[in-house]
Amino acid sequence: EAGVAQSPRYKIIEKRQSVAFWCNPISGHATLYWYQQILGQGPKLLIQFQNNGVVDDSQLPKDRFSAERLKGVDSTLKIQPAKLEDSAVYLCASSRTSGGAFEQFFGPGTRLTVL
Amino acid sequence: AQTVTQSQPEMSVQEAETVTLSCTYDTSESNYYLFWYKQPPSRQMILVIRQEAYKQQNATENRFSVNFQKAAKSFSLKISDSQLGDTAMYFCAFSQRDGGATNKLIFGTGTLLAVQP
């Protein structure tokens, strides 16, 4: 079974530029999560999708971040415009469905550096 | 709001020895899950072990076991017979139990474990 795929693996941009990250979850997984992991901290949830609907985006900075999950499969996370403090690893995870009983499987992450 | 605290930023253990990583949490929920995740250098995060709060028996997975003290809100991870491949950042995490609402993972700041040969 293929794992969670993410691209790109690394991205360097200058502040005020735009960037997009892509995630392909494990086949059949209804729930998809985007986490932000700042250096020295644990991951923090940005947004959670159940199929193509948003379950939780309470910690998503909506003035600059957006995310979508078309057709309930792949997802993209966009930052526009980027700030220095957005430098972090962006982790995508998926689970069979929502609920703490279902294991979240993580992708390798995209490391973003904003200069 | 739920919080997870890991007070040991770094730990070191000799190969084949036993090490315990500490975690405390705060919640007003009665039903929840607790997890330990492992993040090896430059590799993706994987689940090590999971504990359901309503179960009194401590979870075990091969060399990994937990000491779950619900009243004290403590959840420590014991790694027995440490191996070089155990070198990683370990995160303690909390999740609400019920589906339908968010089951986001709330992570601690992590403990960097180095297994020495």
Side-chain angles (χ1 to χ4, degrees), chain A residues 56-77:
Chain A
D56 184 354
D57 63 356
S58 58
Q59 297 191 85
L60 186 74
K62 297 180 185 66
D63 57 333
R64 298 183 300 105
F65 286 65
S66 64
E68 60 181 7
R69 190 181 184 199
L70 299 176
K71 301 180 181 178
V73 183
D74 292 4
S75 177
T76 56
L77 176 69

Side-chain angles (χ1 to χ4, degrees), chain A residues 35-46 59 84-91 106 111, chain B residues 4-6 8-9 37-39 45 89-93 105-112:
Chain A
Y35 290 88
Q36 180 192 56
Q37 185 177 14
I38 294 173
L39 186 63
Q41 299 180 19
K44 179 187 78 173
L45 182 78
L46 292 175
Q59 297 191 85
L84 296 177
E85 59 261 37
D86 298 332
S87 293
V89 176
Y90 291 84
L91 298 170
F106 285 81
R111 183 177 299 275
Chain B
V4 177
T5 302
Q6 294 179 251
Q8 304 155 313
Y37 276 86
K38 170 184 177 181
Q39 190 175 40
M45 190 154 353
M89 181 72 84
Y90 287 82
F91 290 99
C92 178
L105 292 169
I106 298 170
F107 288 88
T109 52
T111 296
L112 182 61

Side-chain angles (χ1 to χ4, degrees), chain B residues 62-106:
Chain B
N62 301 313
R63 299 183 295 109
F64 299 88
S65 61
V66 298
N67 184 3
F68 174 48
Q69 301 290 328
K70 190 172 184 179
K73 294 181 181 175
S74 170
F75 183 61
S76 61
L77 174 70
K78 186 172 81 171
I79 305 174
S80 304
D81 186 25
S82 296
Q83 301 176 0
L84 296 178
D86 295 334
T87 293
M89 181 72 84
Y90 287 82
F91 290 99
C92 178
F94 169 100
S95 170
Q96 293 178 185
R97 180 164 182 256
D98 295 328
T102 180
N103 61 305
K104 66 183 176 187
L105 292 169
I106 298 170

Side-chain angles (χ1 to χ4, degrees), chain A residues 9 18 36 41 47 51-52 57 68 72 79 81 87 107 115:
Chain A
R9 292 294 310 278
S18 301
Q36 180 192 56
Q41 299 180 19
I47 190 166
N51 297 308
N52 58 357
D57 63 356
E68 60 181 7
I79 308 175
S87 293
L115 303 176

